[in-house]
Amino acid sequence: QNQLDLTELRRRVERDGINRSKIQILEALARNVPVASASNVDVVCYTSVFGRIPRAKAMLAVHSDSMTIGRRKGDDDYFETLLAYVNKKLESDVRFEDCVFIDDVPDYVGAAKVLGMRGIWYAEVSDASNRQLKDDLLMHGVPAAWLS
């Protein structure tokens, strides 16, 4: 079910690097709107990886992993549970249509779109994917000024 163990997660981080370009895009976005994580890994893996990438951890307004919210991406009520968790943490009333969901699994992006989120499939760590991520965010209505 796409769950990664800690060894595999560390291997991917070491192989792909920190992906500074993607983090820069998300940092720029986070200066204007809250950015939340949505991870299928358990809290131990999640904490370990974000411990190695402090910039990524620092820009997130809400951290969520499957153990914390009690659901995994792919569960029927995952996005409802995630949004309720985000709203509780932010003391807000964010709606699905207010969200842009970025993930590397097309089925999860599709499920987010069905609920009204804007979805972006981010398949790999590369300069081309980072450029595409920026283009997709712009296409989904994110102001260009928010990405610089």
Side-chain angles (χ1 to χ4, degrees):
Q1 259 224 13
N2 291 319
Q3 183 168 359
L4 299 174
D5 64 23
L6 184 56
T7 305
E8 173 63 10
L9 204 52
R10 283 184 179 149
R11 186 188 68 74
R12 284 188 182 186
V13 169
E14 288 166 5
R15 179 196 69 205
D16 296 337
I18 293 176
N19 192 1
R20 286 174 180 84
S21 295
K22 181 180 177 186
I23 291 172
Q24 287 172 342
I25 293 167
L26 296 175
E27 282 175 331
L29 195 58
R31 286 191 289 273
N32 297 282
V33 293
V35 174
S37 67
S39 178
N40 260 0
V41 299
D42 64 47
V43 70
V44 174
C45 292
Y46 183 91
T47 303
S48 175
V49 168
F50 276 99
R52 297 182 63 198
I53 312 171
R55 281 181 63 195
K57 182 179 179 182
M59 61 96 182
L60 293 170
V62 177
H63 297 266
S64 80
D65 60 81
S66 294
M67 285 181 66
T68 300
I69 67 168
R71 299 289 185 277
R72 292 177 50 76
K73 288 182 250 179
D75 290 347
D76 290 341
D77 61 347
Y78 174 78
F79 287 106
E80 291 87 350
T81 304
L82 175 64
L83 192 58
Y85 180 78
V86 168
N87 279 326
K88 181 178 177 184
K89 289 291 191 181
L90 296 176
E91 298 178 353
S92 65
D93 190 25
V94 175
R95 300 165 299 157
F96 287 122
E97 56 269 19
D98 299 326
C99 300
V100 177
F101 179 75
I102 303 166
D103 202 272
D104 61 345
V105 178
D107 288 347
Y108 300 156
V109 173
K113 287 180 176 181
V114 166
L115 293 170
M117 291 183 181
R118 290 158 283 179
I120 298 174
W121 178 47
Y122 184 85
E124 63 185 44
V125 176
S126 70
D127 289 339
S129 288
N130 291 330
R131 283 190 299 277
Q132 186 63 51
L133 176 58
K134 268 188 160 178
D135 290 345
D136 288 346
L137 286 166
L138 292 169
M139 182 186 72
H140 285 298
V142 173
W146 288 12
L147 299 174
S148 52

